[in-house]
């Protein structure tokens, strides 16, 4: 397969998906979105993988849709297909079993910014920047804003959408679009440290937790408590919770069965 | 018409609505709310206007409802009418086609603070302050909190509501109630700069984007993606997106048809 | 009654609930949750009490569930009961009539962090810290995240949940989990100052406001305005709003009937 989406195995538990088409700034073309969706599904199904990292090759993280391709598509049903596919990728990240971390070393624009927002965690270099610039080309960032507006408050979101202007890493952290930023030299090491920490937890616990998290967010308070109480009971009846609590009380490291 | 609500045409694309009853601190009385609603509808329907600014004359931005009037109303159905009318004004801002910017040079209290929160963007002087002080007069800021609690997080909102204390511009920015603040000398220039930037975009693109933005916020994630994918396809089939993308690829300025 | 939950009357209008089982770091065991629920209901029904403070005795605020007890429970229906009871306590705080303030002088972990998040306001010492560390023992903080994720944005929430790491008071303030933090010496005085300020308002006004606040948050915008306009009219027809507005116009202190 001749793909611009590469999977790099960092260790037995952590894998990185590389957006690797630097000449288009890792654009999210039909082909790349399809391959990204496949890569995400593959790693999500791999029982050994515990954490997924997404990063870009070359100068930027991702410039979003490929505008040359977009221009060529012309027909309404093709556009609908493209935006549906892009939404599918983002939903796979949110609804998948494994934590996904965005590692951003350069520009994350439009659907690229959406990708960062869709990940559970995001870290960047100090020099990285983020934008929803669709308004500049007459095409409002309507699907990207679904992800971004669920992470940051509305006034800063509207400024990004209406002006199309990029924001810097320190402001992106301030408003909650990314978790933190580091110097170029340190980003790799810091992301790996966090990925390893998360990989040291129980697979099953994190699967239950992640999926419950996004579900309860869409429920009113009473329903959210009913749902999470039920899921926490399910979690409690699993081997890993029993082992984790025993280990804690016995002051030793837990040994996860990951099931 | 003898109105306290004035429309000032800044240029062919930008208009400012002035709340101009300084002796009541630009109170949102029945009459003023009615005139404000009319002004908003008029500018929203004017195909040449691309950006609306709201500002106050005299010392403050707006002190909210006119308490002398409120006292006089006395009857339940009159109160209901007043609060309904006020809500209608706020909904007009949110559901309208054009971006609305609050330009705040002084106190924005109660329904005045709600007006700031309801605008898509808000900028203030360093000296401006914001409050939901209804609790001090026994009348909780229940309608204002609808707008404010959708822009800022809940703990700072509750502190404002329960203590009635004003917050300063720098804290208002920190929590997301306003986008930014400037010195008194610079506010006008900075707001105009942003208004001009937004006015340089396609009218149609912004109309689709703004209306889609507030709709998708009230949907669960999957429904939000279905809706925005559809709206982005509609946007893509319009002249301005085609022109915008062509201009981008040809490295020239786009010429909007605004339709 | 031999209870670890003590009610201290600070003055005729302010009462403090002390979590007082330092040897378990004020764990939220079955017994303690039951007693906490009773204490909250008692103070909520006491017409003289206007503000409730929750604090912890000994080294920390609360470590969450009692893990020794959790280990002993073993059966599914007992876990379900425990998590249901805990949710009931949190819902009592949110749905009650009186403002509840968390006063945090040390660690607030898991359900202890949930308790802080559930309160209307929260203040801590500079040294206090907050965590949702369930992932470390294989039991994801699924019910705690219901409360915390409704106060802070999603990316910082996910970092807390996936890594289990504690955050410090200054960061907790930055993201909106607490309102503010003070030096150890000042916390008591500052919390009391705010409690007294809130106690100086009308009981009835605050009851209407608090209950309306959490309800409207779960409604779409138009419905939220319809509901709050109705509640504000109810509020306006009460004695305290009439008195409050008269006092304001006459430049005197209002005398609340609290009904």
């Amino acid at each position: 397969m001749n793909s611009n989406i590469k999977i790099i195995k960092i260790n037995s538990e952590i894998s990185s998906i590389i957006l690797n088409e630097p000449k288009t700034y890792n654009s999210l073309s039909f082909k790349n979105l399809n391959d990204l969706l496949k890569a995400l599904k593959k790693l999500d199904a791999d029982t050994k993988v515990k954490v997924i990292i997404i990063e870009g090759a070359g100068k930027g993280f991702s410039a979003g849709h490929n505008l040359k391709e977009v221009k060529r598509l012309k027909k309404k049903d093709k556009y609908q297909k493209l935006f549906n596919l892009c939404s599918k990728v983002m939903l796979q990240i949110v609804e998948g079993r494994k934590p996904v971390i965005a590692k951003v070393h350069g520009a994350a624009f439009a659907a690229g910014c959406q990708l960062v927002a869709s990940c559970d965690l995001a870290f960047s270099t100090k020099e990285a920047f983020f934008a929803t610039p669709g308004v500049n080309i007459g095409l409002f960032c309507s699907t990207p804003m679904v992800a971004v507006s669920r992470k940051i408050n509305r006034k800063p979101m509207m400024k990004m959408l209406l002006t199309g202007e990029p924001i810097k890493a320190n402001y992106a952290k301030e408003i909650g679009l990314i978790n933190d930023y580091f110097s170029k030299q340190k980003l790799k090491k810091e992301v790996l440290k966090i990925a390893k920490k998360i990989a040291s937890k129980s697979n099953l616990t994190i699967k239950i937790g992640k999926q419950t998290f996004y579900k309860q967010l869409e429920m009113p308070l009473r329903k959210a408590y009913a749902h999470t109480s039920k899921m926490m009971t399910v979690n409690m009846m699993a081997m890993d919770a029993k082992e984790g609590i025993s280990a804690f009380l016995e002051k030793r490291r837990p040994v996860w069965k990951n099931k």
Side-chain angles (χ1 to χ4, degrees), chain A:
Chain A
M1 190 177 77
N2 185 9
S3 175
N4 303 312
I5 306 296
K6 287 189 181 165
I7 296 177
I8 304 282
K9 200 173 158 167
I10 290 175
N11 66 31
S12 63
E13 299 181 325
I14 304 169
S15 280
S16 206
I17 296 176
I18 319 280
L19 312 175
N20 188 28
E21 196 185 38
K23 70 172 195 284
T24 69
Y25 288 90
N26 307 321
S27 77
L28 297 171
S29 62
F30 253 120
K31 179 173 168 12
N32 290 347
L33 282 169
N34 253 321
D35 290 349
L36 177 53
L37 185 58
K38 271 183 215 159
L40 284 163
K41 283 187 172 174
K42 189 181 164 186
L43 294 176
D44 210 51
D46 183 335
T47 53
K48 279 183 191 155
V49 173
K50 298 180 84 170
V51 177
I52 301 165
I53 296 169
I54 300 180
E55 56 192 299
K59 272 196 171 174
F61 177 76
S62 170
H65 292 299
N66 183 324
L67 291 182
K68 283 184 192 167
E69 181 187 68
V70 167
K71 201 187 167 180
R72 271 197 315 268
L73 293 178
K74 275 182 181 144
K75 290 193 182 159
K76 197 173 168 178
D77 63 324
K78 291 199 176 161
Y79 290 123
Q80 187 69 58
K81 262 188 194 164
L82 177 66
F83 302 134
N84 285 352
L85 175 61
C86 183
S87 301
K88 235 175 166 173
V89 170
M90 306 300 162
L91 283 164
Q92 171 63 35
I93 294 173
V94 175
E95 297 176 353
R97 295 179 194 93
K98 318 273 169 86
V100 184
I101 304 175
K103 179 180 157 192
V104 187
H105 73 294
F109 276 21
C113 186
Q114 180 184 10
L115 190 55
V116 173
S118 296
C119 290
D120 301 296
L121 301 175
F123 300 92
S124 82
T125 58
K126 211 176 157 180
E127 294 76 21
F129 45 110
F130 306 86
T132 49
V135 74
N136 295 331
I137 57 158
L139 182 62
F140 209 81
C141 275
S142 291
T143 50
M145 77 189 172
V146 172
V148 182
S149 66
R150 277 158 182 77
K151 304 288 174 173
I152 72 172
N153 289 0
R154 297 180 189 188
K155 281 272 200 304
M157 170 88 274
M158 261 307 197
K159 178 131 185 277
M160 288 178 74
L161 289 167
L162 292 172
T163 65
E165 284 171 0
I167 61 169
K168 290 181 180 173
N170 61 336
Y171 185 65
K173 181 189 174 184
E174 215 177 294
I175 59 177
L177 180 55
I178 61 171
N179 291 91
D180 213 344
Y181 59 91
F182 304 101
S183 71
K184 224 178 254 193
Q185 292 74 33
K186 283 195 178 164
L187 179 64
K188 191 179 168 177
K189 200 182 129 193
E190 293 290 339
V191 169
L192 204 60
K193 208 201 286 179
I194 287 154
K196 279 181 181 170
K197 173 160 277 187
I198 297 172
S200 74
K201 322 290 182 190
S202 153
N203 231 349
L204 175 74
T205 302
I206 284 199
K207 186 198 96 171
I208 294 174
K210 172 171 170 169
Q211 293 185 336
T212 307
F213 178 70
Y214 291 109
K215 264 195 197 150
Q216 62 84 25
L217 277 173
E218 304 197 332
M219 295 174 178
L221 190 66
R222 284 196 157 259
K223 232 178 140 176
Y225 270 126
H227 180 66
T228 54
S229 296
K230 205 180 110 190
M231 292 315 293
M232 215 162 154
T233 304
V234 168
N235 188 168
M236 191 58 232
M237 294 310 289
M239 293 300 293
D240 278 352
K242 292 186 201 302
E243 162 64 9
I245 289 171
S246 294
F248 179 83
L249 294 173
E250 293 158 21
K251 291 174 185 172
R252 60 168 176 84
R253 277 184 167 271
V255 183
W256 307 124
K257 311 247 169 190
N258 289 316
K259 60 184 176 190

